[in-house]
Amino acid sequence: MNQGLVSIIFIVAMLGLMGLGMPMAFSLVLTGAAMAFALDFWDTQLLAQNLVAGVDSFPLLAVPFFILAGELMNAGGISRRIIDMARAWVGHIRGGLGFVTIGAAILMASMSGSALADTAALATILLPMMRSQGYPMHTSAGLMAAGGIIAPIIPPSMPFVIYGVTTNTSISALFLSGIVPGLLMGVGLIVAWRLQLNKFTVVADERLSIGQRLVATGKAFWAMLMPLIIIGGMKSGVFTPTEAAVVAAFYALVISFFVHRELTLSGFHDVLVRAAKTTAIVMFLCAGAQVASYMVTLADLPSTLAAWLGPLIDNPRVLMAVMMITLVLIGTALDLTPTILIFAPVMLPIAVKAGIDPVYFGLMFVLNGAIGLITPPVGTVLNVVAGVGKLRLDEVIKGVNPFLMVYLFILTLFVIFPQIVIAPVAWMR
Amino acid sequence: MSDSTNPGSSGFQRWSERAMALCLAVMAAAVFLNVVLRYGFGSGVAASEELSRLLFVWMVFIGATAAYPMGQHMAFTALLTPLAKRPVALKAMSRLVHALVLLSCGLLGWGAWQQVVIGMDSRSVVMAYPTALLPLPAFLCAVAIGAMSFWNLLRGEVIDLGHESEVE
Amino acid sequence: QDIKPRLIRFGYGLNEQSNQGRAAKVFSEEVEKASGGKMKVRAIGAAALGPDTQMQQALIGGAQEMMVGSTATLVGIVKEMALWDTPFLVNNVKEADALLDGPVGEKVKAKLNEKGLVGLVYWENGFRNLTNNKRAVTKLEDLDGVKLRVMQNNVFLDSFKTLGANAVPLPFSELFSALETKAVDGQENPFNTILSSKFYEVQKYLTVTNHVYSPWIVLVSKKWWDGLSKDEQKVLMDAAVKSRDFERADTRAEAAKALGDLKAKGMQINELNPTEAARMRDKLTRVNAGIAANVGMDLWNETRSELEKLRARK
Ligand code: NA
Ligand code: NA
């Protein structure tokens, strides 16, 4: 069996089948089947077994639970209260609703793990307000999209769970690694928003008294406890990341039902159905990817690729730069989850060979993939904002560009100075 | 909710939604129970993990089956967009895709069926459920999606280009 | 000699550098040598072929030829395998070897045949020992209130509950972080695992309890085995026996070294004295009765009398 040949079969079959427009899960199954043939490992039972094995994993249960928590936050009024609170504090300053968006995006990111749920909530509530106050729609929409992708970086995070399971990296460590970069993304957005402000003529909110602000904060009190429970519970050992997800969902359920009283039983049923459907689509892809990645492991593709990369292995920073550029290009066309499932198991062993810290690499990988959610032509988060705001996709793309530049700058910064990511993790652990 | 073209599928959609919601609720309850038992009482139920994993597998395959006729599975259709104005070529490409999906379902279904047969004779470690319950949903899902893609292949159903994945 | 060219895919769970990996390599070399290079073993570690349960089903279905794995994960297929989960069944490795390689071990192995598997030999995973962060366990009462992670398996759960610990089931994948964050106080595993999983970083006390002897078992797909010639089967059996002898010696040397390393890493180590071990064993009568009922009274009684014979001999 020739490893080079198997590598070529992997790349050609996968790209060819996906390019046809076939559902990715099935493209990956057929890719796995083709490799099984080449590896002399042919048996349909192995295909079926691995399809199931891709889902049959306890840590992956965090995915439906975090999605459920996010859906409950939106349905039970938690997201709205957080936005109200942010508005009470900074709504009155010039360009205030932009800062409200950024603040709410960070707060919601510390409770939910999915970029799409957060973006949808932000855009649904804030875009109409910004429209009525005369903000330019394309820039506002771009800000929503850019703010939404902080969700998978600040813990909890669904993509970190999938990355951790796929590559066998500690999910708790990945979660901790996201805190500082996530906050830096927020800072970057503030700067980028501030720089564009002068071009706007907008109405600001009325300045509220401290009393009114405290009332809004009080209403968001229960919501604000959620990140403390998740991070605090995980750090103090009350529960593991998977359990943290289920605790978050239960907490959101209790708040929605008994404190905010905004969720009905039938509403709860709808939330369960939505979360289950979203999960099924993501996880079916995990299932298909497991069929291909089983064969990738057997063929030891990372070694072949590492051999092809040759001298780069001795130069971790250049290697990192090359891989990041590759990922940005992949991200233009591919969603975050398939990027993780397909490329992380191939790239991580190469990075480890070059001596790159696996947690740092995980953060960079997911951050890069998250940025891919707002790069054209295929940018799922862009679609959500365009859909919710009834805008044309090219308007959103135009508006997101400045923020995209900031994110790419941050990414470059992390490649040059990995310590910005690594040091805080070491300190927090 | 259901805009499916397959007759009789709205009944399945409704049933599948109930089943998925139930799976998710029980999974969450089982895992939560163990957190409470461990933290509050220093004990736990051994079956919790096994039960929630089994339900998770069922939920995913039921959901994947229900999502197929709605065209909700993640697909990369950008390269097909230029074909939008050339119906004959698009139809041919669509037929190819349906045939390939049918092929994967055939392989998966056959493999899963063999595992179901084997699994009748062994039991899970904790709950002692027949191991066949794990590959069974994969088998049913492969059969159902295979049948739908076969139907689409016969009719030359054009694949949906406007669709973008809806989850992340 | 009737030997055809064969490719044997041999899966195992640990990595290549582990005792499992070394023994798999010995097996593979022995097979190649004895078959004149015709039979080739491709040993694939690190669970790349899936966890034990997945490989078992692949073997039964004939999609994979061989594997080595834990007997505990086979209980769902052959209930008699639960015999090896019995706490304090054997007192030392000598008894373990005699029991596993003797008529009782053969009888349990033979049960695999009707389920599509063939068991060749038992390897050693090792005696399981207890670590925790609360106190050195010197007597039965020291287990009281220790929040102890056990495998998701009712025998282990019941056993440690009966002994007074707060036994909580948790997947191995979550164990390190649970110990690190003090979600649980302790766990139990062989020395080699305690060392390789770096539990010494998050655990203070190690008590040499030797409470369960865990074997591994080398399995062959029966579907595939039945198609082999007598000569080919003999090549595999002989190589398996050689790999077993190597593996046990290697594992024992490694365990002794691991214990030393754990001490050097700063773990406080004590040995449970025989009187206390006997008290624990007595406390577990009810759990043992359950195991006996599960594996069948005949097998249970045969095991007891076999052990009595062994103990009388010395
Ligand atoms: Na988050
Ligand atoms: Na993109």
Side-chain angles (χ1 to χ4, degrees), chain B residues 72-148:
Chain B
Q72 285 169 332
H73 282 288
M74 283 189 233
F76 179 71
T77 50
L79 292 181
L80 291 185
T81 329
L83 291 183
K85 293 187 191 92
R86 304 177 54 195
V88 177
L90 184 59
K91 204 163 194 170
M93 284 297 275
S94 298
R95 279 215 157 95
L96 177 61
V97 169
H98 296 316
L100 287 169
V101 172
L102 180 59
L103 172 66
S104 8
C105 287
L107 298 174
L108 290 172
W110 174 232
W113 174 248
Q114 295 173 69
Q115 285 288 306
V116 170
V117 173
I118 290 166
M120 308 267 226
D121 216 18
S122 41
R123 301 194 160 256
S124 76
V125 177
V126 186
M127 290 164 65
Y129 66 76
T131 318
L133 286 180
L134 268 180
L136 182 62
F139 169 72
L140 298 174
C141 171
V143 169
I145 294 183
M148 287 186 260

Side-chain angles (χ1 to χ4, degrees), chain C residues 11-290:
Chain C
Y12 59 98
L14 302 185
N15 60 34
E16 230 175 289
Q17 290 78 36
S18 66
N19 52 345
Q20 231 178 20
R22 289 191 294 270
K25 190 154 174 277
V26 167
F27 175 73
S28 133
E29 286 164 359
E30 288 297 333
V31 170
E32 286 209 43
K33 203 161 69 187
S35 67
K38 282 188 187 159
M39 297 170 81
K40 287 206 159 43
V41 178
R42 215 182 134 204
I44 302 166
L49 297 182
D52 283 2
T53 45
Q54 186 180 338
M55 289 197 283
Q56 289 155 14
Q57 302 297 322
L59 255 62
I60 298 172
Q64 181 186 327
E65 290 79 21
M66 289 188 73
M67 65 172 282
V68 62
S70 148
T71 53
T73 57
L74 275 169
V75 172
I77 298 174
V78 169
K79 62 181 193 315
E80 286 81 359
M81 287 285 167
L83 181 65
W84 312 125
D85 294 339
T86 312
F88 299 107
L89 181 69
V90 294
N91 291 331
N92 50 51
V93 290
K94 231 172 157 179
E95 288 180 16
D97 290 355
L99 192 64
L100 288 162
D101 301 344
V104 173
E106 286 302 320
K107 204 170 250 178
V108 175
K109 247 171 26 187
K111 296 282 178 192
L112 289 162
N113 294 352
E114 54 203 80
K115 300 289 186 169
L117 294 168
V118 176
L120 296 188
V121 290
Y122 295 98
W123 286 2
E124 170 165 311
N125 182 5
F127 274 109
R128 301 177 75 88
N129 292 291
L130 190 84
T131 70
N132 84 98
N133 257 339
K134 275 203 146 166
R135 57 184 91 94
V137 176
T138 55
K139 55 182 189 301
L140 173 60
E141 287 74 16
D142 288 335
L143 283 172
D144 274 353
V146 173
K147 207 178 266 188
L148 187 76
R149 176 269 174 182
V150 297
M151 285 191 279
Q152 299 112 297
N153 169 324
N154 284 320
V155 172
F156 286 95
L157 198 61
D158 283 351
S159 301
F160 281 101
K161 267 189 187 153
T162 309
L163 294 176
N166 293 340
V168 290
L170 202 73
F172 188 78
S173 57
E174 312 233 325
L175 179 53
F176 186 89
S177 74
L179 291 169
E180 187 180 28
T181 59
K182 307 202 164 42
V184 294
D185 301 322
Q187 59 88 42
E188 41 88 47
N189 263 301
F191 296 139
N192 312 25
T193 313
I194 297 171
L195 183 68
S196 62
S197 303
K198 302 198 168 158
F199 290 154
Y200 56 82
E201 288 181 359
V202 287
Q203 293 276 275
K204 190 162 175 204
Y205 303 102
L206 167 62
T207 306
V208 183
T209 48
N210 288 344
H211 57 270
V212 170
Y213 178 86
S214 294
W216 284 324
I217 183 165
V218 177
L219 297 170
V220 189
S221 160
K222 185 154 190 300
K223 236 182 191 174
W224 180 75
W225 177 261
D226 289 346
L228 297 180
S229 70
K230 285 277 165 290
D231 291 336
E232 289 168 331
Q233 290 181 350
K234 187 168 181 313
V235 166
L236 292 181
M237 193 63 207
D238 291 349
V241 170
K242 281 188 179 146
S243 75
R244 175 192 73 196
D245 297 342
F246 166 83
E247 198 269 354
R248 283 178 181 164
D250 183 44
T251 301
R252 282 158 202 174
E254 195 185 40
K257 190 176 167 300
L259 186 60
D261 287 353
L262 290 170
K263 197 167 204 164
K265 302 271 185 199
M267 286 195 92
Q268 294 194 20
I269 299 169
N270 72 299
E271 263 182 60
L272 189 72
N273 67 46
T275 333
E276 285 301 317
R279 281 184 70 210
M280 290 188 184
R281 189 185 328 220
D282 290 344
K283 203 129 198 238
L284 291 169
T285 317
R286 190 185 52 83
V287 175
N288 285 352

Side-chain angles (χ1 to χ4, degrees), chain A residues 108-114 118 150-158:
Chain A
M108 284 161 63
S110 61
M111 304 172 201
S112 134
S114 137
D118 275 23
I150 300 179
I153 308 302
I154 293 183
S157 153
M158 187 181 100

Side-chain angles (χ1 to χ4, degrees), chain A residues 121-144:
Chain A
L122 287 171
T124 310
I125 303 173
L126 282 162
L127 265 186
M129 294 182 193
M130 295 181 89
R131 181 174 279 148
S132 69
Q133 294 194 2
Y135 285 85
M137 270 299 103
H138 61 276
T139 308
S140 309
L143 182 64
M144 303 288 152

